[in-house]
Amino acid sequence: MTPTDNQNVQPQVVINTQYVKDLSFESPEAPNCFLDIKTAPKIDLALDIKVEHLEKESYEVILKINAKALHEGKSLFLIELEYAGLFTIKNIEKEEQKEQILLIYCPNLIFPFARRVIADVSRDGGFQPLMVNPIDFAALYMQQKQQQEKESKKESKKESESENDSKK
């Protein structure tokens, strides 16, 4: 085996590009909200990861981040961001390993850029920059897997109970 052959079988993850896919900023209470802020607002943050298989080795990984700032029950601002990366994944045959790359490694690569967009947009909207804390995508992945296991156990238990009831 030549060194070139060995390089061809090495797993490869390439980020081809990254981009803002969708971005929305709303400040429904402006300008009055700027007069009333005396304490730090409550921040509600939601995150979702979506993966699209585009071609044989190409995937789009999308981080969906929704951030809402509330002060005394009023909405100061709402940011909805879809930040995506286009990745090429080669020489990875195991689906579980590919899933982990797409749901842990790739989001880790693009998250700092999505975080910067949110900080810039909130600052440009007249507020303090919203600095989203780093996210442990591996822990989120593990939580999701555990939840899926619990749900599948519940379903299999319901199926077996249903079969037992039909046999009676």
Side-chain angles (χ1 to χ4, degrees), residues 7-67:
Q7 288 176 347
N8 290 340
V9 295
Q10 291 293 319
Q12 293 180 333
V13 178
V14 177
I15 183 165
N16 300 304
T17 190
Q18 54 189 16
Y19 48 94
V20 173
K21 189 167 180 136
D22 189 22
L23 176 62
S24 171
F25 176 84
E26 298 173 28
S27 182
E29 300 291 327
N32 296 334
C33 65
F34 297 113
L35 304 172
D36 298 336
I37 300 176
K38 293 181 179 42
T39 59
K42 177 182 182 253
I43 305 294
D44 289 333
L45 196 67
L47 172 82
D48 192 22
I49 303 168
K50 184 177 176 186
V51 176
E52 297 273 340
H53 188 186
L54 303 175
E55 293 178 358
K56 182 181 177 189
E57 298 174 331
S58 296
Y59 298 85
E60 181 184 48
V61 177
I62 305 166
L63 292 180
K64 293 182 176 185
I65 303 173
N66 292 336

Side-chain angles (χ1 to χ4, degrees), residues 149-165:
E149 286 177 18
K150 286 180 184 178
E151 289 173 7
S152 66
K153 285 179 184 177
K154 285 180 183 177
E155 286 179 24
S156 62
K157 185 177 178 182
K158 286 180 182 178
E159 287 175 8
S160 65
E161 288 175 356
S162 173
E163 288 175 8
N164 290 338
D165 289 343

